[in-house]
């Protein structure tokens, strides 16, 4: 799998990469939504995006909407986007889904929850 991790906090990037280190998956990082959208649209295709929702420059809501718009304009099938946020409230989960995310994980991210969410939203390569 090719995974794009869009996360502004270095500690969270290190944590997610550590969780995925033992997997055969390739993980690329963007430190804000604008960089994430640029990488998504130029360095793809991606199998999954892990999107922090609260970032400077461009937040995850705007970045996810931009990714969905880019996919629609080109007739690409939607790439799974999993929201990563410090907010566990139902309203925040709905806000992520409304922006185009497929799932929502609350921080601090737990390894098993992350691996289960990735498995649930991807098809392993043949």
């Amino acid at each position: 799998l090719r995974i794009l991790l869009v996360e502004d906090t270095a500690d969270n990037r290190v944590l997610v990469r550590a969780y995925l280190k033992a997997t055969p998956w390739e993980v690329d990082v963007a430190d804000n939504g604008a960089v994430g959208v640029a990488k998504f649209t130029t360095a793809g295709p991606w199998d999954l995006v892990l999107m922090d929702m609260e970032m400077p420059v461009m937040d995850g809501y705007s970045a996810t909407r931009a990714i969905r718009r880019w996919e629609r304009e080109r007739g690409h099938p939607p790439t799974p986007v999993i929201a990563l946020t410090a907010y566990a409230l139902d309203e925040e989960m709905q806000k992520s889904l409304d922006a185009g995310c497929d799932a929502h994980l609350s921080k601090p991210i737990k390894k098993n929850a992350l691996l289960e969410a990735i498995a649930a939203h991807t098809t392993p390569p043949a």
Side-chain angles (χ1 to χ4, degrees):
L1 296 175
R2 291 191 71 224
I3 298 172
L4 178 59
L5 170 62
V6 185
E7 169 64 62
D8 68 315
T9 306
D11 289 344
N12 290 333
R13 291 192 303 262
V14 168
L15 181 67
V16 170
R17 291 188 98 159
Y19 287 167
L20 301 179
K21 186 175 183 170
T23 71
W25 305 332
E26 175 188 336
V27 179
D28 195 3
V29 174
D31 62 6
N32 67 59
V35 173
V37 171
K39 283 190 174 193
F40 184 89
T41 59
T42 61
W46 301 96
D47 297 301
L48 181 83
V49 178
L50 299 172
M51 181 72 72
D52 180 23
M53 302 315 283
E54 300 292 329
M55 294 179 286
V57 182
M58 177 187 272
D59 65 30
Y61 304 102
S62 298
T64 301
R65 285 190 292 272
I67 286 169
R68 295 299 186 223
R69 185 172 45 255
W70 184 87
E71 290 172 328
R72 279 191 310 276
E73 289 170 354
R74 284 154 186 80
H76 291 295
T79 301
V81 177
I82 299 175
L84 308 177
T85 179
Y87 303 110
L89 302 173
D90 288 343
E91 303 87 53
E92 292 300 323
M93 184 183 314
Q94 191 58 53
K95 187 175 173 185
S96 299
L97 297 175
D98 290 346
C101 294
D102 297 282
H104 180 276
L105 292 177
S106 297
K107 295 178 186 178
I109 304 297
K110 303 292 184 210
K111 183 177 182 178
N112 286 344
L114 178 63
L115 295 176
E116 287 171 9
I118 292 170
H121 290 91
T122 58
T123 303

